[in-house]
C-alpha cells in the first residue's frame, strides 16, 4: 500500500503574481522611456522590498503587544 502526503501548494498566491507582473511591466515601460533607468530602478526596488519587510516586522510586534487584534 502506497501513501502520499500533501505538502501544500508551491505556487505563489495570485496577489503576489499580479504584483510582480505589474512591477515588471512598469519597469519595462520606464526602461523604454528613461536612459540609464536601472540606476534608479534597482535601488527603488530594493527599498520597496526592505520597506515591506520592516513593515511586516512592525505589524508582528504591534500584534504581539496587543495593539492589533
Amino acid at each position: 500500500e502506497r501513501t502520499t502526503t500533501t505538502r501544500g501548494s508551491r505556487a505563489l498566491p495570485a496577489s503576489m503574481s499580479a504584483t510582480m507582473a505589474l512591477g515588471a511591466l512598469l519597469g519595462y515601460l520606464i526602461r523604454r522611456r528613461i536612459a540609464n533607468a536601472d540606476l534608479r530602478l534597482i535601488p527603488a526596488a530594493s527599498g520597496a522590498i526592505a520597506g515591506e519587510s520592516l513593515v511586516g516586522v512592525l505589524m508582528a510586534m504591534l500584534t504581539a503587544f496587543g495593539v492589533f487584534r
Side-chain angles (χ1 to χ4, degrees):
E1 180 178 336
R2 187 173 184 187
T3 60
T4 59
T5 59
T6 303
R7 294 186 180 185
S9 176
R10 293 182 186 216
L12 290 173
S15 61
M16 290 198 63
S17 297
T19 303
M20 289 171 37
L22 287 174
L25 177 63
L26 181 63
Y28 172 75
L29 293 174
I30 290 173
R31 281 189 189 106
R32 287 186 64 199
R33 294 185 182 262
I34 299 175
N36 296 325
D38 285 340
L39 295 175
R40 293 187 181 127
L41 287 175
I42 293 172
S46 299
I49 292 168
E52 180 183 10
S53 298
L54 291 173
V55 169
V57 170
L58 177 64
M59 295 295 288
M61 289 174 57
L62 292 174
T63 301
F65 291 127
V67 175
F68 295 120
R69 294 184 184 193

